[in-house]
Amino acid sequence: MTRKIFVTGGCRSGKSAYAQRFAEAAGPRRAYLATSQALDDEMRERIRIHQDSRGEGWRTVEEPLAVAETLAAAATEADVVLLDCITLWITNCLMADMDDAKILARADELADAIAAAPCAVAVVSNEVGSGIVPDNALARRFRDLAGAVNQRMATQADTVILCVSGIPLAVKGSLPL
Amino acid sequence: MTRKIFVTGGCRSGKSAYAQRFAEAAGPRRAYLATSQALDDEMRERIRIHQDSRGEGWRTVEEPLAVAETLAAAATEADVVLLDCITLWITNCLMADMDDAKILARADELADAIAAAPCAVAVVSNEVGSGIVPDNALARRFRDLAGAVNQRMATQADTVILCVSGIPLAVKGSLPL
Amino acid sequence: MTRKIFVTGGCRSGKSAYAQRFAEAAGPRRAYLATSQALDDEMRERIRIHQDSRGEGWRTVEEPLAVAETLAAAATEADVVLLDCITLWITNCLMADMDDAKILARADELADAIAAAPCAVAVVSNEVGSGIVPDNALARRFRDLAGAVNQRMATQADTVILCVSGIPLAVKGSLPL
């Protein structure tokens, strides 16, 4: 199975859990590409909870920035790669002082790497643009980027899934499970 | 009819109105389980508007915390119970200094009470996790809890409905009306 | 074609692009009814990007407040009118010190003008009510109004579309393209 899925939704809507179930059905060699960086206790705790929720058969690769290259490398020796998540990757890019053009170019490279991957790929992101427009200019820039990158990810995916209260809803293609 | 529905959506998306139409179709003996507490004028005004929008045939029960017990009791003498809403109940739990484990255990009790109810039940919640991550740690805790509790409610429901601009969309099961 | 569509979704979810594709398929005489006012550089830049994304065959009409009248006039000599967007129009009404009752009455007039238009109409809005409840009373008033006006727009539309990561999802009616 070389299906490419993109999973989005609000906070605690079941996105990562759905992507994990997809990956577990895709094959025994599973790579988890984590974009998170444990910079504080709250993040460390969130990462630990996510790790505990994954069972056996996962290889974890942590990469805050070079996700296209890392995904391409992991895909050569896996049945499925789960990239979790896009919005943290964008945050990492902003913290590394990349400008918008560079971030969007990197997103295009990631989309190309996903399309070229010889294995199944699940990409997880977050809906961050359905609240009030933030006061803060950086937050506005972040949510604009998140929307633009999510669109790139959705365009290249076979299936786009919106999670609502833990329930997956196919907005493009059909649910793989 | 003993159908159990869970209705979520953003602010002013038509969730309560849809749940009320469901309840009005479910039978003449309708219990409205309100989790709201009129602590200020703005809340008092919101409660009044909601009450005015309900017609005849409703019995109102106000309960900020013990929703599982109150729902179970109301269900014995009603055709339908409408619980509105989950996010205010979570707010009440936080204000009562409950920790997350206790709130989630209470949510499991509520899910069990809904499953056991001999009448139809409609539960209303809110989507609060699709904006920018809040600066405030309590707000982050609240939206994590809201997502987790919404998932429990959706799991036990026959039908999960996302309201968008007043239009109900079934994300699990089929629309009852 | 005199189809009336309403397109909503989060920030950068592909709403305007979808509405433009709809309009381009609707006929050669296209009116773009812009509610935006270029009050600062960030807004000026957003407007320029949107204008550049539209091709030939568009007549642009800018109107911050009197959208019902302007839409009715534009509709007499167009195959399609695209109104973009409702939430900026509400912001303009708030800045002009209109009270809620007046804004909602104006929204009813707009809904009537859309229903009466002899041409196709696409209305674009934003989901702003799926984040944390804002601290700020004006922001709460804005998102209540946005929800209420979006409901009016969705009620009169043949088709209501929620955009998710650039993918259109029909929540009422069927996708026109």
Side-chain angles (χ1 to χ4, degrees), chain A:
Chain A
M1 180 160 82
T2 60
R3 195 164 182 178
K4 313 297 164 69
I5 74 167
F6 175 65
V7 187
T8 188
C11 167
R12 296 289 160 100
S13 62
K15 307 173 304 285
S16 295
Y18 186 85
Q20 285 174 38
R21 292 199 304 274
F22 168 81
E24 281 156 11
R29 299 176 308 154
R30 300 185 283 267
Y32 185 84
L33 172 43
T35 56
S36 46
Q37 295 181 289
L39 299 176
D40 63 34
D41 285 350
E42 188 175 331
M43 274 308 304
R44 234 183 307 277
E45 177 65 8
R46 282 187 181 248
I47 290 170
R48 196 193 55 72
I49 291 170
H50 274 282
Q51 283 181 334
D52 287 354
S53 77
R54 293 191 295 277
E56 300 284 302
W58 286 92
R59 186 169 71 88
T60 298
V61 189
E62 296 186 4
E63 175 49 54
L65 292 170
V67 289
E69 299 81 347
T70 308
L71 186 141
T76 61
E77 44 190 39
D79 297 310
V80 59
V81 180
L82 196 177
L83 167 56
D84 194 346
C85 68
I86 289 293
T87 41
L88 274 176
W89 170 68
I90 294 170
T91 302
N92 298 338
C93 292
L94 290 171
M95 289 171 69
D97 276 331
M98 286 189 207
D99 64 22
D100 290 9
K102 185 162 186 182
I103 295 172
L104 294 174
R106 290 280 181 102
D108 287 335
E109 291 168 17
L110 174 60
D112 290 344
I114 293 166
C119 68
V121 177
V123 175
V124 174
S125 191
N126 280 272
E127 290 300 304
V128 297
S130 295
I132 285 290
V133 178
D135 290 334
N136 180 310
L138 180 59
R140 288 198 299 276
R141 188 180 155 210
F142 167 72
R143 64 179 215 147
D144 280 351
L145 282 165
V149 175
N150 283 352
Q151 288 197 37
R152 279 162 168 76
M153 295 299 115
T155 298
Q156 62 74 32
D158 305 312
T159 307
V160 176
I161 295 162
L162 176 69
C163 286
V164 177
S165 300
I167 311 293
L169 175 73
V171 295
K172 176 183 176 182
S174 58
L175 290 179
L177 69 161

Side-chain angles (χ1 to χ4, degrees), chain B residues 9-14 42 46 127-131 134 139 142-143 162 164-169, chain C residues 6 8 127 129-133 137 140 143-144 147-148 150-151 154-155 160 162 169-172:
Chain B
C11 166
R12 297 289 160 101
S13 63
E42 189 177 331
R46 282 187 182 249
E127 290 302 303
V128 297
S130 294
F142 167 73
R143 63 178 216 147
L162 176 68
V164 177
S165 301
I167 311 293
L169 176 72
Chain C
F6 176 64
T8 187
E127 289 301 303
S130 294
I132 285 290
V133 178
R140 289 197 299 277
R143 65 178 214 146
D144 280 352
N150 283 352
Q151 288 197 37
T155 299
V160 176
L162 176 69
L169 175 73
V171 295
K172 176 184 176 182

Side-chain angles (χ1 to χ4, degrees), chain C:
Chain C
M1 180 160 84
T2 59
R3 196 166 182 176
K4 313 297 165 69
I5 74 168
F6 176 64
V7 187
T8 187
C11 167
R12 297 286 160 103
S13 63
K15 307 173 304 286
S16 294
Y18 186 83
Q20 286 174 38
R21 292 201 302 275
F22 168 81
E24 280 157 11
R29 299 177 307 155
R30 301 186 281 266
Y32 184 84
L33 173 42
T35 56
S36 48
Q37 293 181 289
L39 298 176
D40 62 33
D41 284 351
E42 189 176 331
M43 274 307 303
R44 235 183 306 276
E45 177 65 9
R46 281 186 182 248
I47 289 170
R48 196 193 55 72
I49 290 170
H50 273 283
Q51 283 181 335
D52 286 356
S53 76
R54 293 192 295 277
E56 299 285 303
W58 287 91
R59 186 169 70 90
T60 298
V61 189
E62 297 186 2
E63 174 51 54
L65 292 171
V67 287
E69 299 82 346
T70 307
L71 186 141
T76 60
E77 44 190 39
D79 296 312
V80 58
V81 179
L82 197 177
L83 168 56
D84 194 346
C85 70
I86 289 294
T87 41
L88 274 177
W89 171 68
I90 294 170
T91 302
N92 297 339
C93 292
L94 290 170
M95 289 170 69
D97 276 331
M98 287 188 207
D99 65 23
D100 290 10
K102 184 161 186 183
I103 295 172
L104 295 174
R106 290 279 180 102
D108 286 336
E109 291 168 17
L110 175 60
D112 290 345
I114 294 166
C119 67
V121 177
V123 175
V124 174
S125 191
N126 280 272
E127 289 301 303
V128 297
S130 294
I132 285 290
V133 178
D135 291 333
N136 180 309
L138 180 59
R140 289 197 299 277
R141 190 181 154 209
F142 168 72
R143 65 178 214 146
D144 280 352
L145 281 166
V149 174
N150 283 352
Q151 288 197 37
R152 279 163 168 77
M153 295 300 114
T155 299
Q156 62 75 32
D158 305 310
T159 308
V160 176
I161 294 161
L162 176 69
C163 286
V164 177
S165 301
I167 311 295
L169 175 73
V171 295
K172 176 184 176 182
S174 59
L175 289 179
L177 69 160

Side-chain angles (χ1 to χ4, degrees), chain B residues 1-7 14-33 50 53-60 71 77-84 119-124 159 161 175-177:
Chain B
M1 180 160 85
T2 60
R3 195 165 183 177
K4 314 296 165 69
I5 74 168
F6 175 63
V7 187
K15 308 173 302 287
S16 294
Y18 186 84
Q20 285 175 37
R21 291 200 303 275
F22 167 82
E24 280 157 10
R29 298 176 308 152
R30 302 186 281 266
Y32 185 84
L33 172 43
H50 274 283
S53 76
R54 294 192 295 278
E56 300 284 303
W58 287 91
R59 185 169 71 90
T60 298
L71 186 140
E77 43 189 40
D79 297 311
V80 58
V81 179
L82 196 177
L83 167 56
D84 193 347
C119 67
V121 177
V123 175
V124 174
T159 307
I161 294 161
L175 289 179
L177 70 158

